[in-house]
Amino acid sequence: MRPAATAVAATAAALRAAFLAPPAAAFRLLPPRRVFLLPLHRLSSSSSPVAPPCAASSDSQPPPLPAFMDAQFESFRAQLDGSSALRDRIRAVVSEVESASRAASAALLLIHQPVPLSDVLGKAKAQVEVIKGLYSQLAEILKECPGQYYRYHGDWKSETQSVVSMLAFTHWLETGGLLTHAEAQEKLGLGSGEFGLDVEDYLTGLCFMSNDFPRYVVNRVTAGDYDCPRKVLSFLTDLHASFRMLNLRNDFLRKKFDGMKYDLRRVEEVFYDVKIRGLVPGESKQEVAQS
């Protein structure tokens, strides 16, 4: 047998023995490996001590901000502090507006009771004068920040809508007609300068006003005023038709306008009940049957 063939056969036999033998025996059958050790002086010269990165940065301080960046953010801080102080003053006045508006609305609730209308309107008008003075204070505050009306408008928006609703209902009780935008501004002492009555606040207030009519009509019919449903129905019909001329977006005002048709429907039902019973003044039962 040739030497090469003998070496191959010996290797194959060693491998079979390694696979078949237990692990400890397999390691004994493998040929030993040679380990080369480097001299100690070569190991020490080839490796140099490296300081950990955290050790070098632990004693270092963050670099100072550039001067222009420091000045810019200092200016921002002053502006935000001034805006916050101004907003606190506005909210203090708006809180008083809300209180006066609630007092006026509470006075108007007496129209559902057997109380003279003049007494009810007198109490409501007393609060309107208070509200007018508070809006004058708001106008003086806003003079300190010209051109910033709509920046702070949200702080008194909802309160103004409630005030307009109260004013419009009071005006209808007195005259039977619609409170115009110019008249509402005049009652609140607005319109001069930048601070005025926002159109959307005025329109939303009118939508709020329509919520008071269904209950008012029912109570007036109960009290024997059978002509009241006809007057309210005529007014709400004209107001609803006027709103339909506007191209309203799908927002808060549009939702309030959609609610007006339900108020109109409830008033129509009251008027229908009064009419079919022949209680409408100036109409005979024959006229009702023909209609």
Side-chain angles (χ1 to χ4, degrees):
M1 184 177 295
R2 297 180 181 180
T6 304
V8 171
T11 303
L15 290 175
R16 283 196 301 271
F19 281 113
L20 296 176
F27 281 112
R28 287 195 301 268
L29 293 176
L30 292 177
R33 295 182 180 180
R34 296 181 180 180
V35 179
F36 297 93
L37 299 177
L38 294 175
L40 185 61
H41 70 277
R42 294 185 61 183
L43 289 173
S44 60
S45 62
S46 61
S47 61
S48 59
V50 179
C54 59
S57 61
S58 59
D59 299 334
S60 62
Q61 298 294 332
L65 293 175
F68 77 91
M69 188 179 299
D70 193 10
Q72 174 181 254
F73 279 86
E74 181 64 24
S75 174
F76 291 162
R77 184 193 64 80
Q79 292 179 16
L80 292 176
D81 290 346
S83 176
S84 178
L86 185 66
R87 196 179 295 275
D88 290 341
R89 293 169 57 194
I90 290 175
R91 288 174 177 172
V93 178
V94 171
S95 178
E96 297 182 24
V97 171
E98 183 181 7
S99 299
S101 177
R102 285 201 305 266
S105 299
L108 286 178
L109 291 177
L110 295 176
I111 62 172
H112 305 295
Q113 304 296 329
V115 179
L117 182 61
S118 58
D119 295 344
V120 176
L121 296 180
K123 295 180 179 179
K125 288 181 178 180
Q127 296 299 324
V128 172
E129 292 300 321
V130 175
I131 294 173
K132 184 177 181 180
L134 294 173
Y135 273 98
S136 299
Q137 296 181 26
L138 281 179
E140 291 297 325
I141 295 175
L142 286 179
K143 288 181 180 179
E144 302 176 12
C145 52
Q148 302 291 323
Y149 174 82
Y150 283 102
R151 180 180 181 181
Y152 302 101
H153 172 244
D155 292 330
W156 64 80
K157 181 176 183 179
S158 60
E159 288 77 11
T160 302
Q161 294 168 357
S162 300
V163 169
V164 170
S165 174
M166 179 268 299
L167 291 176
F169 192 46
T170 304
H171 182 80
W172 186 87
L173 292 174
E174 288 183 301
T175 65
L178 176 66
L179 176 71
T180 64
H181 181 266
E183 291 172 340
Q185 287 197 129
E186 182 180 357
K187 287 180 179 293
L188 296 177
L190 305 178
S192 59
E194 182 183 0
F195 188 40
L197 177 59
D198 186 74
V199 174
E200 289 194 9
D201 293 345
Y202 167 74
L203 295 175
T204 305
L206 295 183
C207 293
F208 286 154
M209 174 197 62
S210 70
N211 302 149
D212 296 325
F213 281 112
R215 181 187 177 189
Y216 175 73
V217 166
V218 171
N219 290 328
R220 292 307 301 164
V221 170
T222 304
D225 185 2
Y226 301 118
D227 194 40
C228 181
R230 180 189 61 81
K231 295 178 182 179
V232 174
L233 179 61
S234 176
F235 173 75
L236 279 183
T237 302
D238 294 340
L239 182 62
H240 186 267
S242 299
F243 262 90
R244 292 182 65 87
M245 296 172 59
L246 305 176
N247 184 18
L248 300 178
R249 303 183 302 272
N250 189 19
D251 55 2
F252 182 75
L253 177 57
R254 178 55 188 260
K255 292 178 181 179
K256 295 294 104 178
F257 165 65
D258 291 340
M260 186 187 297
K261 64 183 178 183
Y262 298 105
D263 299 328
L264 180 60
R265 183 180 302 173
R266 292 171 63 187
V267 174
E268 286 177 342
E269 292 174 354
V270 176
F271 176 71
Y272 176 75
D273 290 340
V274 172
K275 189 172 183 178
I276 62 175
R277 287 170 173 78
L279 299 176
V280 178
E283 288 190 358
S284 62
K285 293 184 178 182
Q286 183 178 0
E287 291 174 346
V288 172
Q290 291 177 355
S291 61

